[in-house]
């Protein structure tokens, strides 16, 4: 399931690996039997490679880790949640394009833009 850059999150390690992470964390909530989840796997793996060292990327099997799935009201899979500073920054339900994830990751990874810097930042509308 997990690859070199894709971590495996569980009920046991979720707090330390995701909520207490100093980096943004992209979590793919999935299940073995879910075909759309399997279709999303190459995108998640690519994001993990592209953002290695900047964003933590991982998967959580909702069948084996029901506590976290219930806590975040996962009622449909795939659901992908981007966490920043222990909070939900963005939630995606269903099969999505890579660019959707990248926009959210780039916004979260850039953090607040200092005023007067002259550079354009991303503003979350959620």
């Amino acid at each position: 399931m997990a690859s070199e850059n894709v971590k495996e999150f569980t009920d046991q390690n979720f707090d330390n690996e995701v909520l207490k992470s100093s980096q943004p964390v992209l979590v793919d909530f999935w299940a073995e039997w879910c075909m759309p989840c399997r279709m999303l796997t190459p995108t998640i793996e690519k994001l993990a490679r592209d953002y290695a060292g900047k964003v933590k990327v991982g998967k959580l099997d909702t069948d084996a880790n029901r506590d976290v799935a219930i806590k975040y009201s996962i009622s449909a899979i795939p659901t992908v949640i981007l966490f920043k500073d222990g909070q939900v920054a963005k939630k995606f339900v269903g099969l999505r394009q890579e660019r959707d994830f990248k926009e959210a990751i780039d916004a979260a990874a850039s953090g607040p833009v200092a005023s007067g810097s002259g550079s354009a930042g991303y503003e979350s509308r959620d």
Side-chain angles (χ1 to χ4, degrees), residues 62-80:
T62 58
D63 286 340
N65 301 282
R66 293 187 184 275
D67 292 346
V68 172
I70 289 168
K71 180 178 180 180
Y72 290 97
S73 303
I74 306 302
S75 58
I77 51 175
T79 292
V80 177

Side-chain angles (χ1 to χ4, degrees), residues 21-37:
S21 177
S22 60
Q23 298 176 313
V25 185
L26 190 72
V27 181
D28 176 17
F29 291 84
W30 75 291
E32 189 72 39
W33 50 265
C34 170
M35 192 51 64
C37 299

